[in-house]
Amino acid sequence: MSEPGSVDSREAKRRAFWQEAGWNGAQEMPLANDASFRCYFRLKHSDGRVAVVMDAPPENEDIRPFMSVASILSGFGYSAPHLLASNETDGFLLLEDLGDTTYTRALAAGENEFALYSLAADLLADLAKRGLDGVTGHIPAYSDKKLLEEVMLFIDWYLRPGVGLRIDDAARESFADAWRLCLPAARSAPEVFVLRDYHVDNMILLPDRSGIAACGLLDFQDAVIGPASYDLVSLLQDSRRDISEDVIESTMQRYFTAMPEIVDRQAFLSSYRVLGAQRQLKVFGIFARQTVLYGNHGYLVHMPRLWRLTLQNLSDEALAPVREWIEKHVPESHRVTPPPGGCAT
């Protein structure tokens, strides 16, 4: 007999959920998971129907933000998965299956990179132009407090347990102070609906749909109201993929052309680089935590790219306080990939 909360008990609840939703007799197959507690499964029914089950243990995940954001995006006419059934108490969602052709897979299969990134830029410009009517009050603001909490992961997981660098509490606080000086520059971009994890692994190519609806959206439950530059950072400073300068320049130019509201491009680009540095340093911490805490070492391969992107961003004078902190406290000998499982300090 399965214990409450066991894997077998969870699986039984999940199967009961989708069977009660009218999918009895379907075959359930696991899909790739992300760096969270959520798991995904594809259902294939003998009558040809397909759907995706999100399994988000309620003690670790809250499915309500996903439901709320999906409703907003669908209302905008975007291709977010339609909600077919839900169980908020147990943390299960039954979703429209948008298929397997992520941008990552499409690019690997030879799809035109410029065209895919142009489509992604068009969607961001359209999202920005919609303003915040119907959004404010439904999703949180990306506050400076939240940005600071995230960037501290760099010390708390990458520097300390990841690469074994001794950073005392006074130095940690001076890092936060440096960021407090830099974050105002991040606010130089318009405040918009920010998807937050807008990159090739979370976009689906839907060639049977027209316009920006051809770009399917995944993993948007952490959406916030914040600077428009943030989603461009997610797209063009991808932690998991190298992107050519030609594609970056072309995509950025397409976005600016679609957004004449951005008068001061240099201020926008400073916001872009400040948030680029913030995001990369946050991701250092997230990836290091995966290896130290969960034994998931697959993200370590991306560490050199994170350092390259971080140093590029730190060349902006708006980031001088953070750059000086890095130069003082993080010697080049520790700007490295952590060993699997990290180092003891």
Side-chain angles (χ1 to χ4, degrees):
M1 183 174 179
S2 298
E3 293 293 327
S6 69
V7 172
D8 288 345
S9 173
R10 185 74 187 163
E11 181 178 347
K13 284 185 177 181
R14 186 178 67 246
R15 289 180 176 275
F17 161 70
W18 54 256
Q19 288 169 356
E20 291 168 5
W23 288 73
N24 194 33
Q27 181 183 9
E28 181 189 80
M29 296 161 288
L31 292 172
N33 300 327
D34 54 24
S36 75
F37 293 97
R38 292 183 299 273
C39 300
Y40 298 89
F41 300 85
R42 171 168 285 131
L43 299 183
K44 287 190 175 182
H45 200 279
S46 57
D47 62 10
R49 289 181 294 157
V50 292
V52 169
V53 179
M54 179 195 292
D55 181 339
E59 65 273 19
N60 303 118
E61 300 280 346
D62 183 356
I63 62 173
R64 290 172 298 179
F66 183 96
M67 297 169 67
S68 176
V69 176
S71 176
I72 294 171
L73 294 174
S74 294
F76 289 162
Y78 301 156
S79 295
H82 291 301
L83 181 65
L84 305 177
S86 65
N87 181 332
E88 295 179 37
T89 301
D90 292 328
F92 298 120
L93 292 178
L94 187 64
L95 303 167
E96 175 189 12
D97 187 351
L98 296 179
D100 291 318
T101 312
T102 62
Y103 264 37
T104 301
R105 292 191 176 110
L107 289 163
E111 287 284 342
N112 185 288
E113 187 175 20
F114 287 92
L116 290 180
Y117 276 88
S118 292
L119 176 59
D122 290 347
L123 191 150
L124 287 185
D126 185 86
L127 184 59
K129 287 176 177 294
R130 290 178 181 273
L132 297 173
D133 289 344
V135 175
T136 304
H138 295 280
I139 62 173
Y142 211 172
S143 66
D144 283 2
K145 179 182 178 183
K146 182 63 175 176
L147 290 165
L148 274 174
E149 288 174 356
E150 291 177 347
V151 83
M152 300 312 286
L153 297 174
F154 175 64
I155 292 177
D156 296 341
W157 287 102
Y158 173 77
L159 291 183
R160 285 174 168 173
V163 299
L165 191 59
R166 295 184 182 276
I167 302 292
D168 62 28
D169 289 344
R172 184 183 186 278
E173 185 57 29
S174 69
F175 182 69
D177 287 339
W179 272 102
R180 290 185 184 100
L181 294 172
C182 297
L183 285 177
R187 303 295 175 183
S188 300
E191 291 282 299
V192 302
F193 186 119
V194 175
L195 295 169
R196 202 163 169 202
D197 284 310
Y198 191 67
H199 54 75
V200 294
D201 290 333
N202 289 335
M203 292 183 281
I204 296 278
L205 182 62
L206 302 170
D208 58 331
R209 303 187 188 185
S210 60
I212 56 178
C215 181
L217 301 173
L218 304 175
D219 200 15
F220 42 69
Q221 62 278 338
D222 294 326
V224 291
I225 296 171
S229 52
Y230 192 91
D231 277 340
L232 275 177
V233 164
S234 300
L235 179 67
L236 298 177
Q237 295 193 21
D238 196 324
S239 304
R240 309 181 197 191
R241 180 176 189 270
D242 291 327
I243 305 170
S244 74
E245 287 301 318
D246 286 345
V247 170
I248 292 171
E249 183 178 346
S250 172
T251 305
M252 193 77 79
Q253 185 57 49
R254 188 176 183 94
Y255 180 82
F256 282 137
T257 299
M259 288 288 293
E261 298 88 343
I262 299 174
V263 178
D264 190 341
R265 293 190 183 184
Q266 289 307 310
F268 184 95
L269 289 172
S270 280
S271 171
Y272 172 87
R273 287 187 281 265
V274 169
L275 290 172
Q278 188 274 347
R279 182 174 173 85
Q280 302 308 333
L281 294 176
K282 173 185 72 172
V283 174
F284 269 115
I286 292 171
F287 287 177
R289 182 170 60 193
Q290 284 291 313
T291 189
V292 171
L293 195 58
Y294 303 115
N296 182 358
H297 313 311
Y299 295 103
L300 294 177
V301 68
H302 303 301
M303 294 294 184
R305 181 181 301 107
L306 294 179
W307 268 117
R308 176 174 57 78
L309 292 170
T310 297
L311 294 175
Q312 287 176 0
N313 287 316
L314 290 178
S315 66
D316 194 303
E317 280 308 301
L319 282 160
V322 174
R323 181 176 67 243
E324 291 164 6
W325 191 96
I326 296 284
E327 290 171 348
K328 178 179 179 180
H329 294 282
V330 188
E332 290 192 15
S333 60
H334 285 75
R335 300 176 190 178
V336 296
T337 300
C343 297
T345 56

